[in-house]
Amino acid sequence: MHIRCSGLARPMICPGYVHLELPKSPSNPAAEEGTAAGEYLERLLLNKPLGACASNNVYFDDDMKFYLDPIIEDVKSRATSNILCEQNIDWQTSSGIWLKGKYDIAFIDEKGTLCVEDLKYGWGIVEVKENWQLIAYAIGEIIRRGQAFDKISLKIHQPRPHHEDGRTREWLITYSELLQYKDKIENRLQEIADGKKDLQTSSQCKYCMGTGEACPAFNRLFYRSLEITTEFFQDSIDDDELAMQLEQIKRAEEVIKIKKDSLTELGVLRIKQGKNIPGYVLSKKYGNRIWKNGINPEAIQMMTGKNIIEKTIMTPAKAEKVGVSKDLVNQLTDKKFLGNKLEKKDSTEIGNKIFGNNNPNGGN
Ligand code: SF4
């Protein structure tokens, strides 16, 4: 048996996942774009010819250049060893189960730290702390090199969505901390090898094909979330009850969305396989039109006599990216007020904002 490093987070929470028979996740445009972005990064980091498109025929566009070139410069400036990309790091746990995968980037920096880094080109936020994929890559890389390191730096580069810790996020751990995580992996995979099959729902479910039909635990959660909407019957509710009901509705919304997305994926897959889903057909979804590769304003002017170049101002976010100071951007921009929204606040975050977070124990 083997588990992909990229999917390790799921069995670390839900051991039963590996025992379910699940359909393969179908490819989609966002995944194809992510693959192309990875190849763009690899070719430029390894000084290979770039070409016009990736091996899956997705073109390298201006957005990729805009978002990925700074990451490439940053990696090249920190590496004091060969930069490795897409290196196989398969390793076998003592349970006999293999962990398999290829990381995006690894190198050693000037302090002798092993750096293992992953590009996430999608919009769904990926956290770096306790990221099992990076942990498994780092262990595999240490085994492959046959060399221990005092410090291991794990990084997520996620250049498109906003994150308060920045678009590149680091988690620096010691060798002994990494070994403790290795023990956790060994223990969990031993439990799985011994037959542990508990299904544990969590935020990981949204990446799991079990949500379509195969996973009874998620199905129970789904039907429970439908029931919740009929359980609220009070005419007047106090503040605590209001908070509790908002929390339950939020959770129910998340579960229903995961179910809708996975059933949609399953329906598309089945119709593509020639099956009949009553009342449903496949139609094609298109994005906005973009000019074909190689078409430029000069070519259009030559063909039509029309000048189609227009000067537009960059978005404030892009202006910051090219070096305009954040303070200046703040002074020169307005935000349209769109109305109030009710947000759930983390009490620790509020506490840190008020009292500062210098004391990790939160004491006086
Ligand atoms: S849907 Fe959730 S609970 Fe079910 S197998 Fe997948 S990760 Fe586990």
Side-chain angles (χ1 to χ4, degrees):
M1 184 192 285
H2 77 264
I3 293 173
R4 304 289 314 167
C5 296
S6 55
L8 178 61
R10 238 162 291 152
M12 289 307 291
I13 296 174
C14 174
Y17 155 77
V18 293
H19 296 286
L20 290 181
E21 291 241 336
L22 299 177
K24 240 182 124 200
S25 180
S27 187
N28 60 55
E32 297 283 329
E33 191 185 36
T35 304
E39 276 186 40
Y40 181 97
L41 197 75
E42 181 196 355
R43 289 186 199 179
L44 292 188
L45 279 174
L46 302 186
N47 301 317
K48 291 182 182 171
L50 182 60
C53 60
S55 51
N56 61 2
N57 293 326
V58 173
Y59 279 100
F60 298 133
D61 57 21
D62 286 349
D63 262 16
M64 281 185 201
K65 186 174 165 48
F66 179 78
Y67 287 118
L68 302 181
D69 284 1
I71 297 173
I72 292 161
E73 267 175 47
D74 168 58
V75 169
K76 285 187 170 177
S77 72
R78 287 181 292 118
T80 52
S81 71
N82 280 346
I83 298 170
L84 300 174
C85 297
E86 294 297 317
Q87 173 67 52
N88 248 319
I89 50 76
D90 303 352
W91 58 281
Q92 193 177 27
T93 59
S94 47
S95 65
I97 299 174
W98 283 83
L99 280 168
K100 295 192 171 187
K102 294 175 185 180
Y103 53 67
D104 287 338
I105 309 164
F107 59 89
I108 299 168
D109 73 8
E110 61 176 5
K111 291 182 187 153
T113 300
L114 173 66
C115 303
V116 179
E117 311 192 351
D118 209 29
L119 171 69
K120 299 291 180 195
Y121 199 59
W123 293 90
I125 292 289
V126 179
E127 299 293 354
V128 69
K129 186 150 188 270
E130 299 205 326
N131 181 305
W132 289 107
Q133 182 178 4
L134 283 172
I135 292 169
Y137 287 158
I139 296 166
E141 179 61 4
I142 286 173
I143 294 171
R144 193 188 70 78
R145 287 176 184 257
Q147 183 186 352
F149 294 84
D150 289 343
K151 295 265 173 65
I152 297 101
S153 159
L154 304 177
K155 277 193 182 182
I156 292 287
H157 298 283
Q158 193 169 25
R160 298 203 285 183
H162 170 77
H163 189 295
E164 58 183 12
D165 295 337
R167 291 184 160 90
T168 289
R169 303 179 279 282
E170 182 183 27
W171 182 39
L172 191 62
I173 54 173
T174 62
Y175 189 68
S176 67
E177 284 167 336
L178 185 69
L179 288 183
Q180 286 168 23
Y181 283 101
K182 181 171 182 291
D183 281 349
K184 287 187 186 177
I185 295 173
E186 294 280 4
N187 291 341
R188 172 42 56 95
L189 297 197
Q190 189 59 56
E191 286 174 341
I192 289 172
D194 292 343
K196 189 173 171 76
K197 290 185 178 165
D198 308 15
L199 293 166
Q200 177 64 53
T201 57
S202 73
S203 58
Q204 283 299 314
C205 294
K206 72 176 164 212
Y207 308 110
C208 178
M209 289 299 284
T211 53
E213 56 177 345
C215 175
F218 189 84
N219 283 336
R220 267 198 306 279
L221 188 65
F222 170 63
Y223 288 112
R224 172 88 188 109
S225 68
L226 293 181
E227 279 166 20
I228 280 174
T229 51
T230 61
E231 281 176 6
F232 300 136
F233 48 82
Q234 297 95 326
D235 289 336
S236 65
I237 53 176
D238 64 22
D239 297 344
D240 287 344
E241 177 69 18
L242 174 64
M244 193 272 287
Q245 291 194 12
L246 281 169
E247 189 59 27
Q248 285 183 322
I249 293 283
K250 181 171 162 281
R251 181 75 186 121
E253 264 178 358
E254 284 166 8
V255 169
I256 289 171
K257 179 172 184 318
I258 293 172
K259 190 73 175 171
K260 177 173 175 263
D261 291 349
S262 59
L263 289 180
T264 303
E265 230 168 61
L266 194 63
V268 169
L269 194 72
R270 290 205 181 159
I271 292 177
K272 278 187 178 165
Q273 289 166 345
K275 301 210 172 120
N276 176 28
I277 311 292
Y280 286 87
V281 289
L282 275 196
S283 66
K284 291 194 170 160
K285 234 176 24 179
Y286 293 99
N288 291 335
R289 288 175 298 172
I290 53 168
W291 297 109
K292 288 185 175 162
N293 212 33
I295 298 295
N296 55 35
E298 292 75 28
I300 303 274
Q301 186 155 25
M302 222 166 65
M303 286 186 270
T304 65
K306 309 273 186 213
N307 180 357
I308 61 160
I309 296 178
E310 62 178 7
K311 275 194 181 167
T312 57
I313 191 162
M314 282 182 188
T315 62
K318 271 196 178 178
E320 283 176 1
K321 192 98 183 168
V322 297
V324 180
S325 88
K326 282 195 176 180
D327 286 346
L328 186 67
V329 171
N330 278 343
Q331 284 170 34
L332 300 180
T333 49
D334 275 329
K335 274 187 187 172
K336 195 174 168 197
F337 179 65
L338 299 174
N340 294 309
K341 65 176 181 174
L342 191 58
E343 269 188 357
K344 187 166 163 53
K345 270 290 183 191
D346 179 342
S347 55
T348 315
E349 195 187 310
I350 296 172
N352 286 342
K353 272 197 184 130
I354 298 171
F355 301 112
N357 57 355
N358 297 333
N359 181 349
N361 300 318
N364 292 321

